[in-house]
């Protein structure tokens, strides 16, 4: 009886420790209201920046299930995808799910890739995606989620798990108008508990629209400005995120700052700008 009680106490302590760790873990969807904003590029480079700080503690999940290309962004050929996971008959626990991850050792992270073809995504259900991400967040301190453009049903359900929201816009009027609608929709969903991070991509582009114009339109200050760089499309074509090999450029510094914001220290309360968002 004494040995059984001791074993039960150890098991309870382990469960408690895992629960407390899971509560500190971050689920970070990367959102873009319009396609072509560079969402997957931001998600992959953010994941690499986190992986450099926390090797082995980052997983990237691609829930753009019809046309996701996170695997391509990392230059990997996954053995398994979300479609294989959906067809599996194993238990939906972390140990089983980890068998479907693709490691990217040079980046210190893991990838759960989208299906190879749009047809393979037809039978996937939002609840499965939510269950997978919830399980992964108990094992990995940082779960970066690359989403489809806009807010589809998969993204909508995953938002309930989000600790951070990375909202992406670029230096063009359609993108700014779209993200304004997206912010309004997210506010209606009541996501005040998540920390919001507004990222401006191609921020140094000279296209007749200033950062101040964008902030005034959105009523929100830009948190991270990612400058334009010809190295970004080159890195995309190589299948190697820029932050993986370039540690000194302004682009890498911007992604490292975004990673710092999504992995705050104990002194940082992670207060969302949603609570203080309107510019006077």
């Amino acid at each position: 009886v004494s040995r059984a009680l001791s074993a039960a106490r150890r098991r309870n302590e382990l469960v408690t420790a895992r629960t407390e760790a899971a509560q500190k873990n971050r689920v970070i969807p990367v959102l873009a209201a319009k396609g072509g904003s560079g969402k997957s590029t931001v998600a992959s480079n953010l994941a690499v920046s986190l992986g450099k700080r926390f090797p082995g503690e980052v997983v990237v999940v691609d829930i753009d299930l019809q046309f996701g290309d996170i695997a391509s962004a990392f230059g990997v050929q996954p053995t398994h995808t979300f479609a294989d996971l959906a067809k599996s008959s194993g238990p939906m626990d972390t140990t089983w799910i980890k068998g479907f991850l693709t490691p990217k050792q040079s980046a210190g992270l893991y990838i759960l890739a989208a299906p190879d073809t749009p047809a393979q995504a037809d039978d996937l259900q939002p609840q499965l995606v939510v269950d997978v991400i919830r399980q992964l967040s108990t094992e990995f301190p940082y779960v970066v989620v690359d989403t489809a453009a806009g807010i589809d049903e998969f993204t909508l359900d995953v938002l309930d798990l989000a600790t951070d929201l990375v909202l992406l816009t670029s230096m063009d009027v359609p993108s700014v108008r779209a993200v304004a609608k997206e912010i309004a929709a997210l506010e209606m969903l009541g996501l005040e508990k998540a920390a919001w991070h507004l990222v401006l991509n191609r921020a140094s582009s000279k296209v007749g629209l200033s950062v101040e114009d964008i902030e005034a339109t959105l009523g929100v200050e830009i948190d991270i400005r990612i400058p334009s760089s010809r190295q970004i499309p080159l890195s995309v074509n190589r299948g190697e995120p820029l932050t993986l090999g370039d540690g000194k450029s302004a682009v890498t510094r911007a992604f490292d700052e975004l990673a710092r914001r999504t992995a705050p220290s104990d002194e940082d309360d992670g207060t969302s700008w949603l609570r203080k968002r309107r510019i006077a």
Side-chain angles (χ1 to χ4, degrees), residues 1-16 18:
V1 171
S2 177
R3 289 197 299 271
L5 289 173
S6 297
R9 280 196 296 269
R10 289 195 298 271
R11 186 164 56 251
N12 288 337
E13 289 171 357
L14 179 60
V15 170
T16 300
R18 287 179 174 173

Side-chain angles (χ1 to χ4, degrees), residues 95-189:
T95 301
W96 181 259
I97 295 171
K98 287 173 69 175
F100 294 86
L101 303 182
T102 300
K104 179 67 175 179
Q105 294 180 348
S106 60
L109 53 78
Y110 297 85
I111 301 161
L112 180 53
D116 293 326
T117 67
Q120 291 178 343
D122 288 345
D123 295 330
L124 293 176
Q125 299 299 317
Q127 188 59 52
L128 169 69
V129 174
V130 170
D131 290 343
V132 167
I133 292 175
R134 180 182 290 113
Q135 287 291 337
L136 288 174
S137 69
T138 66
E139 179 76 15
F140 291 91
Y142 303 96
V143 181
V144 178
V145 184
D146 189 23
T147 64
I151 305 177
D152 64 8
E153 59 180 339
F154 296 97
T155 301
L156 187 62
D157 286 355
V158 168
L159 291 179
D160 289 335
L161 304 177
T163 61
D164 297 76
L165 298 176
V166 175
L167 281 75
L168 182 63
T169 187
S170 53
M171 298 285 291
D172 60 87
V173 171
S175 180
V176 173
R177 288 178 174 171
V179 80
K181 296 177 182 179
E182 185 177 46
I183 289 172
L186 293 172
E187 286 181 334
M188 291 179 62
L189 293 174

Side-chain angles (χ1 to χ4, degrees), residues 41 44-45 69 72-73 231-242:
T41 299
S44 57
N45 280 279
D69 56 1
S72 176
Q231 295 302 317
I232 292 179
L234 290 175
S235 70
V236 171
N237 290 337
R238 288 196 304 267
E240 181 176 298
L242 185 62

Side-chain angles (χ1 to χ4, degrees), residues 37-68:
S37 298
K39 173 179 48 58
S40 295
T41 299
V42 170
S44 57
N45 280 279
L46 168 60
V48 170
S49 290
L50 288 169
K52 289 189 297 187
R53 294 177 59 191
F54 310 103
E57 299 184 359
V58 180
V59 60
V60 188
V61 181
D62 192 347
I63 66 168
D64 184 356
L65 296 171
Q66 287 192 315
F67 301 105

